[in-house]
Each structure stands twice: as C-alpha cells, then as structure tokens.
Amino acid sequence: MPVNVREADRDQLYLLPPSVADWLPEGHLAWFVLDVVGELDLSAFYAAYRDDGRGGAVYDPATMLAVLLYAYCTGERSSRRIERRLVDDVAYRVVAANQAPDHATVARFRQRHEQAIAELFGQVLALCVRAGLVDAGLVAIDGTKMAADASYFANRSLAELAAEILAEADRVDAEEDERLGCRRGDELPEGWSRRTDRRARIKEALRQLEAQGARDYQSRMAERAAKEKALGHRLTGPQPTPSPARPRLRRKANTTDPDSRIIPTKHGVVQGYNAQAAVTADQVVVAAEVTASTNDQVNFVPLAQAATEALAGAGHDAPGVFVADAGYWSAANASTNVGAEVLIAPRDGGWRHAPKPSDDRLAVLARVNRGELSQRAAGEILGVSYTWVQKMTKRYFSTSGERRTFTSDPEPEQWLPVIGRLARGEISQRAAMDELGVSQTRVKAMLAHLRDEAIEPALARRAMAAKLEEPSNAAQYRKRRSTVEPVFGNIKANLGYRHFMRRGRSAVQSEWRLICAAHNLLKIRRVALA
C-alpha cells in the first residue's frame, strides 16, 4: 500500500496573490514590533526628508525603524547581517513588507536619524507606563563597562599623533611624485577622500589632548599663577615640583574613537565607555546615559535627574527612593536633593583609623611611590590587596616623598568644639591642626561643614550607615542586586550586546538608548504573553 504523503510541488503557481500576513503566527514578535511602531510618533524621522515630493523615492522611515527595532530585539546589529536576514529570514521579510534595503541603506538610516532614535527611548518608556509596568517607588542606579568599536592599541600620545600626521603627509607626497612626476597636478590625489575620516579622527584626538592642558612643570606653574590671580589669593596645598617622585602616565587619545577611554574592569582594562542605567524594581530602564568617566560618583546626580525627567515625560510620578552601590558614594551625592530618598552604601573608611604601617611596609610603599614597584606586586609582597597599597601610598607619600601623617581621624564629638572655636576666631588653623592631629585639608573640610558650605565626609558616612541600619531601608537596599544586575545580564548575555558598534559619544549614546528601549519592549511583550 503506497504511503499517503503531502506532495511538495515547488513549481505550483499560487492561485491567489500571496500575503505576508500568512507567513507568521499571530503572536510573533514581528507583529508586536510593527504594532509598537504604529503607536510611536515618527514626525522627527519624516522631518528629515523633503516634503515637496521631489527627488528619488526612499524607504518608508516607519518600515526602516521597524526593521531596526526588530533587529535589536533579536540581538542583531550588523547592517550586513540585517541585509542577509531581509532575504533569508521570513520574520525580517514580514517586518520589511518583503522589501530588501541593502546594508548601506540600513547604516545610513541609523546614522541619519541618530538623535530621533535616541529620543525613542522616552516613547517606549511611556508605553511601559501605559502597560502598568513601571513602579518608581524604588529606582536602582548602576553602570556597566562596554567596549568601544576601537582597539586599545590605537591609543597615541601627542608626539605619536603629530608623527602620524607627518607620516600621512609623506605618504601623500610620495604618491603624488609617483603619479605626477614633475607635473604640478592641481587635482587631489586618488584615494585621498577615503582617508578623510581617519584624518578627522586624528585631529579630534589631538584636540582632546590639547584640551586636557599640558602637565609639564612650567605649564602647571603658569596655570597655578593664573588661578591665584583670578582668585586674588594664593592657592593652598602642595606645589608642583620640577621632578615629581612618581612618574606621570603619558596622556593618550584613541585614533579610532577619540571619545572612548581606557576603562579598568575586574578582568583588566577595556577601551570603551561607562554605560549607566536607572532601573525600577520591575527591571524597566527609566534612564540610560553613556559617559567616558571611569568614576561612577560623578554620574549619580545627573542620572537621578534624568530618571525623574524621563518619568515625568512619560506621565509617571517621580521616584521614591534611589539606591546605588558604594561606587557612587560621596558626601555630596548622599546630601544633594534629587527629589527622592537616597540610599548609597558608604565607602569603607576604616583605613583612616588604621595604625601606621611598620618601617618595612613603608619601605615597600616608598618603592611604589617612586614607580619601582606596581601596586599589585606590592600587595603580593605585603599579603594585602592592591587597593590597600593604593590608599596607604596616597596617605603616607606625596610626590616629594614621605609626608607627615596622622594615625587616626577624630570623631565628630572631638572636633566639633575645636572647629567651633576656630570659626569664632578664638584659635588659628595651625592650633586646630595640632590639637586635633589632622591635616590642613581636613580642618578646612570640618570648617566648611560647620558653616553649612559642605557636608563633612565622616558625618555623611555615619548618617548613611545609620539610615541603612533601619530595617525598612535595609530591605529596600537589598533589592538593588535583583533590580539592575539582571538588566545588564539580559543585555549582555541574552541579547549579546557586550560592545558598541558605533563610534563617537553621540552615536554610542543613541545606540545605548536603543538597546535599553529594545529591553523595555521585550518586557512589555513578555507581560502581554503572560
């Protein structure tokens, strides 16, 4: 008996015109993305084109945006791979209405509408609010290091950049001599236009290095004199020396992506950016910013303000509590009014009360200070962490060698009366320093606190520690890890976004917001399917 099979006749003609609506099941992600794009305000995209109908036809921005959003939701960013998928992948063909824009068209669309794509993040957040996914009672702030589309080995010093420009000029001269001989040749040499981008990046790297200011002795003294003249008094603190004890690292800039920086991570260093996010307890990203700063402290207040503004723009109430880890700790961050309660784990200040190291240990620290020994090597010799070596070297040594130090930090109950007498003019700064056994810098910080000009770090640390000991605050702070860390895990592990594909701060900012918008879209869909 013959087997009853369905015959596969690839030459069979369609009896009715085919419809892409029949190609995917109803609950597919592609339909969800198309429905979302239909809800977005795309006026900023259409405003970039002529409205008189003249010129060649362009792909519909709504279609191109849908392709881009669907690609980012499925972990695909390469314009060339997107081009292949528009031919091979049924879902991509449905999203593109069976059209096939090439990779250059996709890349130009992403570049042309960079700002409009970044602003989509706010519209997607508004969709999350309407879907009831946003509870801003607790917002966690954290950052993750993302590699740039640039190599660590593309960093150059000022002298190396200047030499590279001269080498480029020499290559051009050699090409002209070979091509033109003795003729003048007013036309540009062939291939010059293809090097324009690289020359522009080299010039930008030079500009950034020059903007940082020269750090030689003469330049630093001139800068110090100019500040003293502007302020009308002499600056305090150690003065620059002609030959510092600790060698300074050469300033460098990257010729591939001048905006990127060398950022330390727990696995070494990476040429990249510090991607910041503010996330609700339901793991919805409410603010996404990119910075090249390796220090998280400077990012707390701007990100808290960005989160408040984004929630207000999406029609939601302001956050109730901001939580952040110890990397964001500073007395200013703990005391600045950001419109919500602030819970930041204070940095460990116990090392300030530690006894002075023995002479043998100080000798090892002195070698670190002179640049003869790395911090990690010293840590292995002394049996301590490299951070201990770093703090103790900074505490007990200056650029000119060992400094006068104090082995303990007085408690507020001890120094408040003394600083009060200083504020009333009863004693001098020197007398306060001798009585409390602290440096002039610490006396000035205590005095600024008494005058309400700044909060004293020790008092801020004590107040935050007391606040975190309260059961309700401790329970809220414990939610931080289950709030923001899974978001970075989804972005890096599930979607595969461990590095940026675009170059420049503005382009990377747009890409990071698009990545976070894709994360939020997937949250909406998961809730809708639940």
Side-chain angles (χ1 to χ4, degrees), residues 178-209:
E178 183 179 355
R179 180 172 54 85
L180 300 174
C182 297
R183 292 183 294 111
R184 176 178 173 180
D186 291 330
E187 71 278 3
L188 288 174
E190 184 181 357
W192 173 257
S193 60
R194 288 193 294 271
R195 288 190 295 268
T196 302
D197 291 343
R198 175 166 175 78
R199 295 183 69 215
R201 291 196 301 269
I202 292 176
K203 288 182 179 179
E204 174 62 19
L206 278 170
R207 186 197 66 77
Q208 292 197 14
L209 284 178

Side-chain angles (χ1 to χ4, degrees), residues 347-411:
R347 288 184 180 274
D348 182 17
W351 63 276
R352 294 181 180 274
H353 304 274
K356 186 174 182 179
S358 64
D359 292 340
D360 293 341
R361 291 199 162 201
L362 285 176
V364 175
L365 297 179
R367 293 177 60 194
V368 175
N369 185 63
R370 293 194 297 267
E372 300 173 359
L373 199 65
S374 70
Q375 292 174 358
R376 291 191 181 276
E380 293 175 0
I381 293 173
L382 299 176
V384 296
S385 67
Y386 79 92
T387 54
W388 185 93
V389 174
Q390 180 185 48
K391 292 174 181 177
M392 289 301 179
T393 303
K394 182 177 179 181
R395 184 182 184 191
Y396 289 101
F397 292 90
S398 67
T399 55
S400 57
E402 189 170 353
R403 71 170 93 204
R404 181 190 177 200
T405 57
F406 306 95
T407 58
S408 63
D409 204 30
E411 296 295 334

Side-chain angles (χ1 to χ4, degrees), residues 126-187:
L127 293 178
C128 293
V129 171
R130 291 210 298 264
L133 298 181
V134 179
D135 178 6
L138 182 141
V139 174
I141 291 177
D142 205 351
T144 183
K145 308 305 187 292
M146 299 274 285
D149 186 21
S151 170
Y152 169 84
F153 299 101
N155 287 291
R156 301 287 187 273
S157 65
L158 193 62
E160 290 170 339
L161 286 172
E164 192 162 340
I165 287 182
L166 291 175
E168 178 75 13
D170 290 341
R171 284 196 297 271
V172 172
D173 288 342
E175 290 176 4
E176 288 180 343
D177 290 342
E178 183 179 355
R179 180 172 54 85
L180 300 174
C182 297
R183 292 183 294 111
R184 176 178 173 180
D186 291 330
E187 71 278 3

Side-chain angles (χ1 to χ4, degrees), residues 423-500:
R424 294 190 296 270
E426 299 175 3
I427 59 174
S428 65
Q429 266 193 14
R430 173 58 61 184
M433 291 166 56
D434 292 339
E435 186 171 346
L436 295 174
V438 297
S439 65
Q440 186 181 35
T441 302
R442 292 285 293 121
V443 167
K444 288 185 176 181
M446 294 170 179
L447 188 61
H449 173 83
L450 200 65
R451 292 172 175 171
D452 291 330
E453 297 173 356
I455 186 168
E456 210 280 326
L459 287 179
R461 190 180 298 108
R462 174 184 290 189
M464 183 59 70
K467 187 188 294 186
L468 288 173
E469 286 178 358
E470 298 177 12
S472 59
N473 290 336
Q476 285 186 310
Y477 187 80
R478 281 195 297 269
K479 295 178 182 178
R480 188 192 66 82
R481 285 196 174 185
S482 61
T483 298
V484 64
E485 298 294 347
V487 172
F488 294 146
N490 178 57
I491 289 173
K492 287 189 167 183
N494 297 337
L495 296 179
Y497 299 140
R498 298 180 180 274
H499 67 279
F500 293 112

Side-chain angles (χ1 to χ4, degrees), residues 13 105 114 120 138 212 282 290 325 339 374 491 525:
L13 300 177
T105 303
E114 180 179 289
L120 282 179
L138 182 141
Q212 294 175 23
D282 296 316
V290 170
D325 62 21
S374 70
I491 289 173
R525 182 169 182 266

